[in-house]
Amino acid sequence: MDTFLWGALPYTAAALLVSGLVWRYRYDKFGWTTRSSELYESRLLNIASPVFHYGILFVLAGHLMGLFVPASWTDAVGLDEHAYHLLSLFAGCAAGFLAIAGILVLLYRRRRNPAVLRATTRNDKLMYVVLLAAIVLGLVAKLMHSSLDSGYDYRTTIAPWARSLFTLSPDVSRMADVPVAFKVHAVVGLLLFALLPFTRLVHMFSAPVQYLFRPYIVYRSRDPRQPAGGPVPRGWEQLDD
């Protein structure tokens, strides 16, 4: 089971993530969207959406720092283990609670507004459950194994295991003595990654870069066969050769 969870499941999740993104882009480009329901209700959305997005961005930043920045790097910039622990505890919990607050308001909005509820798919419901579970389990694991003086040092176990995945030789033994709460959080997090391409969360892999370079006004090109100043045909009409 340890070999499957920490040696096979991460690559399975990564394969589903990559193949799902490729499939979605090739066959469901029009579905590659947030499927915004702002048209039905905007007051609560304008509050909950920024709260959730800022919270989840800070959560992701904390995970990237904790898993992929070695302790020697933080020590080199003067952030010792105790200072890092306090930063991880307070900033991580604040980000987690911020993301949860945003999700709860979004869920309340969906239940309260009939039009928004009708626009909610089964994938949306599954996504909300897994996403909320991943964040809550992360907070539970952190708070169960932390105090103001010290906490579980995942940078000596979970972080080296996570980095070893990129060398294609996962160090499964690193996860042997990890507390159960952190293991459950990691498994649910992997399931969330596998689920991402098939939900509205796929929009996190998009960026409106083209808007930085497109002209302010876009003109429709004129058919070169049409004389300048001549009548403009309707879309279903054919120009004479």
Side-chain angles (χ1 to χ4, degrees):
M1 182 57 70
D2 284 342
T3 302
F4 169 74
L5 289 177
W6 317 121
L9 183 60
Y11 296 112
T12 303
L16 287 172
L17 175 65
V18 174
S19 60
L21 289 174
V22 172
W23 175 86
R24 189 81 182 267
Y25 184 78
R26 290 191 62 183
Y27 299 106
D28 190 29
K29 286 185 180 180
F30 287 106
W32 190 298
T33 172
T34 60
R35 297 179 53 249
S36 175
S37 56
E38 185 177 4
L39 180 65
Y40 306 124
E41 196 281 335
S42 60
R43 185 178 64 85
L44 287 177
L45 182 64
N46 290 336
I47 297 173
S49 183
V51 170
F52 165 71
H53 281 90
Y54 280 119
I56 202 66
L57 285 175
F58 289 138
V59 168
L60 290 174
H63 278 71
L64 290 175
M65 180 178 178
L67 295 177
F68 301 109
V69 177
S72 58
W73 293 17
T74 54
D75 292 339
V77 297
L79 191 65
D80 60 24
E81 181 59 33
H82 183 63
Y84 176 85
H85 165 68
L86 292 178
L87 176 65
S88 174
L89 178 61
F90 288 105
C93 289
F97 283 119
L98 193 66
I100 290 175
I103 293 176
L104 292 178
V105 177
L106 289 173
L107 290 174
Y108 169 76
R109 171 180 174 270
R110 287 195 173 272
R111 293 298 304 176
R112 177 176 175 269
N113 191 297
V116 179
L117 182 60
R118 285 194 297 270
T120 305
T121 65
R122 293 181 179 178
N123 275 7
D124 292 334
K125 296 175 183 178
L126 179 61
M127 177 269 295
Y128 275 117
V129 170
V130 178
L131 178 61
L132 189 59
I135 300 174
V136 170
L137 287 170
L139 283 172
V140 169
K142 186 67 176 178
L143 294 175
M144 281 179 59
H145 300 278
S146 293
S147 66
L148 291 179
D149 297 325
S150 63
Y152 177 71
D153 188 8
Y154 55 85
R155 294 200 294 174
T156 61
T157 55
I158 303 176
W161 163 76
R163 292 195 294 269
S164 72
L165 295 174
F166 291 90
T167 63
L168 302 182
S169 53
D171 192 353
V172 177
S173 62
R174 293 278 190 173
M175 297 295 291
D177 298 324
V178 172
V180 174
F182 282 98
K183 289 183 177 180
V184 176
H185 170 59
V187 170
V188 175
L190 291 173
L191 294 178
L192 178 61
F193 275 108
L195 185 65
L196 284 180
F198 311 103
T199 68
R200 67 175 63 211
L201 291 178
V202 71
H203 75 275
M204 68 183 291
F205 297 99
S206 301
V209 179
Q210 69 273 18
Y211 283 94
L212 300 175
F213 307 101
R214 74 182 182 95
Y216 291 107
I217 301 177
V218 179
Y219 292 95
R220 186 176 63 181
S221 60
R222 180 176 58 84
D223 193 309
R225 296 172 299 170
Q226 178 184 340
V232 178
R234 295 176 175 85
W236 59 85
E237 295 176 341
Q238 298 294 325
L239 289 172
D240 294 330
D241 293 330

